[in-house]
């Protein structure tokens, strides 16, 4: 069965509930066909409507009104009261993320006739969601020492609902030399700036003070990325606490691909298990040197 949603997703109040309701009406394998207007399309239309300076000013106002107010707790209720929860602007990432969160798998996406067109297949029941999908500071579940789950704090550097697209983006792009996804369209404009200056990592200090992480160590991984490691490396990784500064940034020669990243992490962990303090001391200052003089960043 194929279901076509006639209304644009931007015009639907309580979009998550709407997608969940459709999920419950459909069988696994059924397709959902829907359209929306992305925020970039909306902002480009505003620019064309007015002279250069005025158009840009209206874009900033529209961004503040539609993108920031509904995602900040002090102003969210005011925005929804005045807007009736309609006429929202969503990034392409948020549209796809909301659909995936509702239990669908993206089959096709394209810009067609001035609309953003998405076809998705039901694959499961809807996943749980909460306000951290939109919050500027995220609490993300990661695998820590002894395979225990920890909640890692970070500044948001990606569009809302990006966490539900990890499998989809991985299938599209695979990993870059740092073990992150290449050409990741989920990263927003200020996110690139934050990552280049390491600002996105600062909230992890909370995890350090709580004793869940330390200054130097392997990255705390999602379940998906953890599953890509060999069983031997999975076992070795979970013998130590994860860290803010990963071994990757200590290496003079940048590891390329997952195999080299695992080899880099193995060298660090084996050295740390023998000489914990001296290993972290050496890796910390070596990493600081590479960041300051070799321009390595967390992007």
């Amino acid at each position: 069965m194929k279901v076509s949603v006639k209304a644009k997703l931007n015009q639907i109040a309580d979009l998550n509930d709407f997608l969940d309701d459709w999920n419950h009406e459909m069988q696994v394998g059924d397709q959902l066909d829907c359209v929306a207007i992305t925020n970039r399309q909306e902002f480009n239309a505003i620019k064309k409507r007015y002279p250069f300076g005025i158009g840009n000013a209206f874009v900033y106002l529209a961004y503040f009104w539609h993108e920031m107010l509904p995602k900040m707790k002090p102003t969210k209720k005011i925005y929804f009261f005045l807007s009736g929860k309609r006429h929202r602007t969503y990034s392409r990432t948020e549209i796809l993320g909301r659909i995936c969160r509702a239990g669908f798998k993206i089959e096709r996406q394209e810009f067609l006739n001035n609309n953003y067109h998405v076809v998705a297949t039901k694959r499961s029941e809807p996943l749980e969601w909460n306000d951290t999908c939109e919050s500027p500071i995220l609490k993300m579940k990661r695998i820590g020492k002894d395979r225990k789950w920890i909640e890692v704090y970070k500044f948001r550097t990606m569009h809302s609902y990006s966490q539900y697209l990890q499998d989809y983006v991985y299938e599209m792009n695979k990993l870059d030399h740092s073990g992150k996804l290449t050409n990741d369209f989920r990263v927003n404009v200020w996110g690139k700036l934050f990552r280049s200056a390491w600002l996105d990592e600062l909230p992890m200090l909370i995890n350090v003070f709580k004793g869940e992480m330390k200054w130097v160590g392997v990255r705390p991984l999602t379940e998906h990325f953890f599953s890509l490691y060999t069983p031997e490396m999975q076992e070795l990784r979970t013998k130590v606490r994860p860290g803010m500064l990963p071994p990757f940034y200590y290496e003079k020669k940048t590891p390329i691909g997952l195999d080299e990243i695992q080899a880099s992490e193995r060298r660090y962990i084996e050295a740390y298990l023998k000489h914990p303090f001296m290993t972290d001391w050496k890796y910390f200052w070596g990493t600081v040197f590479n960041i300051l003089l070799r321009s390595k960043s967390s992007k």
Side-chain angles (χ1 to χ4, degrees):
M1 181 178 76
K2 187 173 184 178
V3 175
S4 296
V5 179
K6 295 182 179 180
K8 290 184 174 64
L9 299 185
N10 312 72
Q11 303 300 321
I12 297 172
D14 299 315
L15 180 56
N16 285 342
D17 292 338
F18 175 84
L19 293 171
D20 287 354
D21 290 342
W22 270 116
N23 178 291
H24 296 318
E25 294 291 328
M26 300 168 67
Q27 302 294 321
V28 173
D30 289 348
Q31 285 194 331
L32 183 72
D33 190 339
C34 49
V35 295
I37 299 293
T38 68
N39 57 359
R40 181 165 294 185
Q41 288 177 298
E42 182 71 26
F43 297 156
N44 286 339
I46 292 175
K47 287 182 180 179
K48 292 179 181 178
R49 203 176 302 148
Y50 301 98
F52 174 74
I54 298 176
N56 283 349
F58 276 117
V59 166
Y60 293 135
L61 288 173
Y63 181 85
F64 177 76
W65 176 255
H66 290 295
E67 295 285 330
M68 297 185 68
L69 291 186
K71 295 174 181 176
M72 297 188 295
K73 287 186 177 181
T75 56
K76 180 182 294 187
K77 291 184 179 180
I78 298 174
Y79 173 86
F80 287 148
F81 174 77
L82 295 175
S83 68
K85 297 186 179 181
R86 300 178 187 274
H87 310 292
R88 296 286 305 274
T89 62
Y90 298 122
S91 66
R92 178 166 66 114
T93 297
E94 184 168 351
I95 292 168
L96 295 176
R98 284 178 180 262
I99 293 172
C100 288
R101 199 257 353 133
F104 295 92
K105 178 183 178 182
I106 306 300
E107 300 292 349
R108 188 172 74 253
Q109 54 157 324
E110 59 182 336
F111 290 94
L112 186 65
N113 298 326
N114 296 321
N115 289 320
Y116 181 50
H117 185 205
V118 181
V119 176
T121 300
K122 175 176 175 176
R123 64 176 177 181
S124 68
E125 292 298 307
L127 304 175
E128 293 184 3
W129 69 281
N130 53 50
D131 288 344
T132 60
C133 291
E134 300 175 343
S135 171
I137 295 182
L138 304 177
K139 288 195 299 183
M140 302 175 295
K141 291 183 67 176
R142 295 291 187 264
I143 297 175
K145 185 181 179 182
D146 300 324
R147 296 181 184 254
K148 293 180 180 178
W149 288 103
I150 60 175
E151 289 188 326
V152 173
Y153 295 86
K154 288 190 71 174
F155 282 124
R156 174 180 294 285
T157 58
M158 293 185 176
H159 292 289
S160 301
Y161 289 82
S162 60
Q163 61 267 45
Y164 298 106
L165 291 176
Q166 196 161 53
D167 292 354
Y168 176 68
V169 178
Y170 175 76
E171 290 175 1
M172 289 175 58
N173 300 314
K174 304 302 180 184
L175 300 178
D176 66 11
H177 62 270
S178 68
K180 294 190 176 184
L181 294 165
T182 58
N183 302 317
D184 197 341
F185 62 84
R186 300 174 301 166
V187 180
N188 54 37
V189 175
W190 64 86
K192 295 177 182 178
L193 297 175
F194 270 43
R195 290 185 175 195
S196 65
W198 287 82
L199 296 177
D200 61 312
E201 310 282 2
L202 284 179
M204 284 188 185
L205 288 171
I206 299 173
N207 298 103
V208 174
F209 295 143
K210 290 171 67 175
E212 297 169 333
M213 293 178 60
K214 52 195 183 73
W215 286 99
V216 178
V218 295
R219 283 188 183 279
L221 296 181
T222 63
E223 185 175 18
H224 170 72
F225 279 159
F226 188 76
S227 70
L228 302 178
Y229 279 64
T230 64
E232 184 183 4
M233 275 304 298
Q234 290 179 5
E235 183 67 25
L236 191 61
R237 271 182 133 266
T238 52
K239 289 183 178 180
V240 297
R241 283 180 293 160
M244 288 184 62
L245 302 174
F248 162 78
Y249 296 107
Y250 171 81
E251 305 282 357
K252 293 180 180 179
K253 180 180 180 299
T254 301
I256 299 176
L258 187 58
D259 289 342
E260 291 190 10
I261 291 170
Q262 290 186 88
S264 172
E265 292 181 349
R266 177 190 291 277
R267 287 191 291 272
Y268 164 76
I269 296 172
E270 290 178 346
Y272 176 82
L273 292 175
K274 293 179 181 178
H275 306 287
F277 178 80
M278 289 305 301
T279 299
D280 276 359
W281 180 265
K282 179 178 71 173
Y283 269 76
F284 176 82
W285 290 110
T287 298
V288 170
F289 176 84
N290 284 335
I291 293 172
L292 295 178
L293 299 183
R294 293 178 175 159
S295 302
K296 291 199 174 185
S297 68
S298 66
K299 61 185 178 178

